[in-house]
């Protein structure tokens, strides 16, 4: 059963912001897809987008293989992702095809426009995928949406749900993402150190070893108490 689709703007985003959750879900027998909107091919100081894009595609395949997740590459270009009907429908079609129960993507309070645009596209694609009257092919599929913690998307991000990650899943995740040169710090930011330590901090906050957090959409935050004794 496909349980989770993690949709990131650039190859590497999905695996960093929810790779621990993915590894943990897979260890529990669930199926996970990483969907990369772009390769993030313009993120290297010296390699050309063509060279770096080829490298990142190979790295992404290796990371998915190590985590035992599936991977889908969308055809959009780094920095040239646009919010439009065509792209929303393309993502909605993918969701109807792979049929996830849960979709995880970027929170929109981001410093990177590709992340904000991905948030907007995915929110609307989840809606299109769920309503059978949108004639886009395939059978409707309802999924719950959550936003993952990403250092670039931290403006007004809220830690609503802590997902505990076993030491085995944590190790598997961290050693897998190191297949990306940028995660090893080769483009400047120490991603490896940031995300491995962050998962430990989230673990401490939730009285466990390791964890990653998710934010709920505003409409899912309200709790309806039906019996007064639950107060
Ligand atoms: Zn990114």
């Amino acid at each position: 059963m496909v349980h989770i689709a993690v949709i990131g703007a650039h190859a590497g985003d999905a695996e960093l912001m929810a790779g621990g959750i993915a590894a943990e879900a897979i260890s529990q027998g669930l199926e996970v897809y990483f969907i990369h909107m772009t390769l993030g091919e313009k993120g290297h100081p010296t390699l050309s987008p063509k060279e770096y894009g080829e490298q990142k595609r190979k790295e992404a395949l290796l990371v998915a293989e190590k985590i035992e997740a599936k991977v889908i590459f969308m055809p959009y270009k780094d920095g040239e992702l646009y919010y439009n009907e065509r792209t929303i429908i393309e993502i909605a079609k993918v969701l109807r095809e792979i049929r996830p129960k849960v979709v995880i993507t970027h929170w929109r309070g981001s410093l990177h426009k590709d992340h904000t645009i991905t948030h907007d596209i995915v929110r609307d694609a989840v809606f299109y995928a769920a309503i059978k009257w949108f004639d886009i092919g395939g059978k409707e599929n309802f999924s719950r949406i959550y936003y993952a913690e990403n250092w670039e998307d931290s403006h007004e991000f809220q830690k609503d749900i802590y997902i505990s990650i076993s030491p085995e899943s944590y190790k598997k995740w961290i050693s897998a993402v190191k297949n990306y040169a940028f995660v090893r710090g080769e483009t400047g930011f120490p991603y490896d150190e940031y995300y491995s330590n962050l998962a430990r901090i989230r673990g401490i906050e939730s009285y466990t070893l390791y964890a990653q957090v998710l934010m709920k959409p505003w409409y899912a935050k309200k709790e309806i108490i039906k019996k007064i004794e639950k107060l």
Side-chain angles (χ1 to χ4, degrees):
M1 181 185 73
V2 178
H3 198 78
I4 303 174
V6 191
I7 308 179
H10 310 105
D13 279 321
E15 304 97 314
L16 286 171
M17 63 189 186
I21 294 170
E24 182 62 29
I26 290 161
S27 79
Q28 294 176 20
L30 303 171
E31 212 177 323
V32 177
Y33 273 84
F34 293 128
I35 301 174
H36 306 310
M37 296 296 283
T38 82
L39 288 167
E41 69 276 10
K42 296 192 182 89
H44 200 280
T46 54
L47 293 176
S48 72
K50 188 175 182 302
E51 291 169 313
Y52 191 44
E54 279 165 15
Q55 179 183 317
K56 280 199 80 182
R57 182 182 290 272
K58 284 182 200 149
E59 291 170 340
L61 287 168
L62 205 54
V63 172
E65 188 191 314
K66 300 280 182 197
I67 296 180
E68 296 175 79
K70 301 212 164 86
V71 63
I72 294 174
F73 297 97
M74 298 307 293
Y76 311 110
K77 288 186 176 158
D78 189 2
E80 298 174 45
L81 188 62
Y82 302 107
Y83 174 83
N84 57 42
E85 211 61 9
R86 201 164 50 99
T87 311
I88 296 164
I89 289 170
E90 283 308 312
I91 300 301
K93 282 180 173 174
V94 171
L95 294 176
R96 283 193 176 186
E97 202 182 310
I98 66 173
R99 315 193 64 70
K101 300 278 167 253
V102 168
V103 172
I104 299 174
T105 192
H106 294 275
W107 167 235
R108 82 183 312 283
S110 181
L111 59 84
H112 202 307
K113 76 184 186 84
D114 285 349
H115 291 203
T116 306
I117 291 167
T118 298
H119 170 98
D120 291 345
I121 290 169
V122 173
R123 177 200 56 219
D124 295 348
V126 164
F127 176 70
Y128 279 15
I131 307 291
K132 71 174 176 181
W133 305 115
F134 285 108
D135 188 15
I136 56 170
K139 191 180 177 336
E140 71 272 17
N141 180 68
F142 177 80
S143 30
R144 277 174 286 133
I145 189 165
Y146 297 102
Y147 310 117
E149 188 171 29
N150 184 312
W151 78 272
E152 290 164 292
D153 312 337
S154 55
H155 182 63
E156 296 180 343
F157 180 83
Q158 293 174 355
K159 296 170 277 176
D160 291 325
I161 306 170
Y162 284 75
I163 316 268
S164 170
I165 300 164
S166 72
E168 295 73 28
S169 299
Y170 173 83
K171 274 186 213 128
K172 191 173 174 184
W173 164 48
I174 295 299
S175 75
V177 289
K178 284 183 189 165
N179 285 291
Y180 278 119
F182 84 92
V183 172
R184 299 192 300 269
E186 291 182 22
T187 57
F189 187 87
Y191 286 90
D192 165 26
E193 240 183 310
Y194 180 83
Y195 284 95
S196 57
N197 285 301
L198 185 65
R200 174 65 188 122
I201 289 166
R202 297 296 173 245
I204 294 168
E205 288 170 354
S206 54
Y207 314 105
T208 183
L209 267 174
Y210 305 105
Q212 282 195 297
V213 295
L214 296 173
M215 179 175 176
K216 289 181 183 179
W218 64 267
Y219 54 81
K221 281 187 202 285
K222 75 178 168 196
E223 276 189 62
I224 300 167
I225 306 286
K226 286 189 177 157
K227 288 195 175 171
I228 204 81
E229 60 262 33
K230 283 196 177 169
L231 278 175

